[in-house]
Amino acid sequence: MELFLARIFDGLSNGSTYALIAMALVMIFKATTLINFAQGEFAMFGGFIVWVLATQQGIPMWGAVILGMLISAVAAAGIERTLIRPFDPADHLPLVIITLGLFLMINAIAGIVWRFDPQRFPELFPSGSVFSIGNASLSWYTVFTLITVAVVAGGLTLLLNKTKIGLAFRAVSSNLESSELVGIKVGPTLQFGWAIAAAVGTLGVCVFVAAPIRQLEPSVMVSGLIFAVSAAALGGLDSLGGSIIGGLAIGLVQSIAVPYLRIPNELSLGAAVVVLMLVLLFKPSGLFGTPQVERV
């Protein structure tokens, strides 16, 4: 029982960090109906910026996180304006190729600048445990990570539902051509989505690598992105709430199903891929996503 409880706590901890990255993916998908394969690398680069600000510039940790999120948002907005906007948003193939190219380029730049040596990331949350039952402990890291997910989800919901730019973003997400006809500036609106996604992704990777068992390195999000994509697909690629449910579900599958099925830990990534394949096969819109309707 204690082991099962410990695995549930681990699953909630892992799943909430996947949910944060998945929310960034959902923001891009809502804007462009494509998966940004460079999202994980955007987040990793933002994490290194936060690490530099905190450890080399002496900025307090949460101040560094907020500043890093702003820098990431500005950088993503610039990339959208220069590399994404010149292409037709309805033609996905060039955009997918560009995001794959950005994935490789950002990873290489991070390796050149900060090398590939793992770096210890400063703590974001208090250490220690809230309570323990035998060997199972609910850590403050898990509790504050769940709170962070709830705050980010609530903030994004308010932003999308209570602000003009949020309403414009929802309109563009719903119907690109109709949005243009009613005078919405599609380019800047999509740029807003890229900026928000980069900021959320940076926060996500900061929380991810702040876990005591992880470190910051250029390849940190290679596997993390697979878990996050699986979480977003499971919950529904256009559903913020679904991404949270999907993230927690993927985290629990990784922490509970993998060891009980005696799958080697090195193959835990395969469990996420299997979940992704099952979702795409039986429910492509995910648990809470909007099914595509084709008019004939």
Side-chain angles (χ1 to χ4, degrees), residues 114-195:
W114 293 294
R115 306 300 178 187
F116 290 94
D117 299 327
Q119 305 291 343
R120 185 79 183 90
F121 201 78
E123 288 186 351
L124 275 179
F125 308 122
S127 58
S129 303
V130 182
F131 66 85
S132 299
I133 301 176
N135 293 323
S137 300
L138 177 64
S139 67
W140 283 111
Y141 171 83
T142 300
V143 172
F144 279 103
T145 302
L146 290 168
I147 292 173
T148 303
V149 170
V151 169
V152 171
L156 288 177
T157 301
L158 287 176
L159 184 67
L160 295 180
N161 291 289
K162 301 297 182 183
T163 65
K164 283 188 177 180
I165 186 66
L167 293 175
F169 181 80
R170 290 170 56 199
V172 171
S173 305
S174 177
N175 193 308
L176 194 66
E177 294 179 352
S178 297
S179 301
E180 288 178 320
L181 290 174
V182 298
I184 295 175
K185 295 180 179 179
V186 172
T189 305
L190 295 179
Q191 189 179 38
F192 165 78
W194 278 73

Side-chain angles (χ1 to χ4, degrees), residues 80 100 241 260 289:
E80 189 279 337
L100 287 172
Y260 278 110

Side-chain angles (χ1 to χ4, degrees), residues 41-165:
E41 302 311 287
F42 278 156
M44 173 274 296
F45 206 88
F48 266 110
I49 291 174
V50 172
W51 175 75
V52 169
L53 293 174
T55 62
Q56 299 179 13
Q57 302 301 319
I59 297 176
M61 196 54 211
W62 276 104
V65 171
I66 294 172
L67 194 54
M69 291 170 67
L70 291 174
I71 293 173
S72 298
V74 172
I79 288 174
E80 189 279 337
R81 182 65 185 87
T82 55
L83 298 179
I84 302 297
R85 199 180 302 180
F87 293 90
D88 180 4
D91 187 2
H92 288 175
L93 181 59
L95 299 178
V96 169
I97 293 173
I98 289 172
T99 60
L100 287 172
L102 286 171
F103 171 91
L104 297 172
M105 186 175 70
I106 294 172
N107 188 275
I109 291 174
I112 292 171
V113 175
W114 293 294
R115 306 300 178 187
F116 290 94
D117 299 327
Q119 305 291 343
R120 185 79 183 90
F121 201 78
E123 288 186 351
L124 275 179
F125 308 122
S127 58
S129 303
V130 182
F131 66 85
S132 299
I133 301 176
N135 293 323
S137 300
L138 177 64
S139 67
W140 283 111
Y141 171 83
T142 300
V143 172
F144 279 103
T145 302
L146 290 168
I147 292 173
T148 303
V149 170
V151 169
V152 171
L156 288 177
T157 301
L158 287 176
L159 184 67
L160 295 180
N161 291 289
K162 301 297 182 183
T163 65
K164 283 188 177 180
I165 186 66

Side-chain angles (χ1 to χ4, degrees), residues 9 33 53 58 103 105 108 125 150 154 161 177 246 250 254 264 266 283 290:
F9 293 157
T33 66
L53 293 174
F103 171 91
M105 186 175 70
F125 308 122
N161 291 289
E177 294 179 352
I250 292 294
Q254 181 189 12
E266 292 78 7
K283 194 169 176 55
T290 305

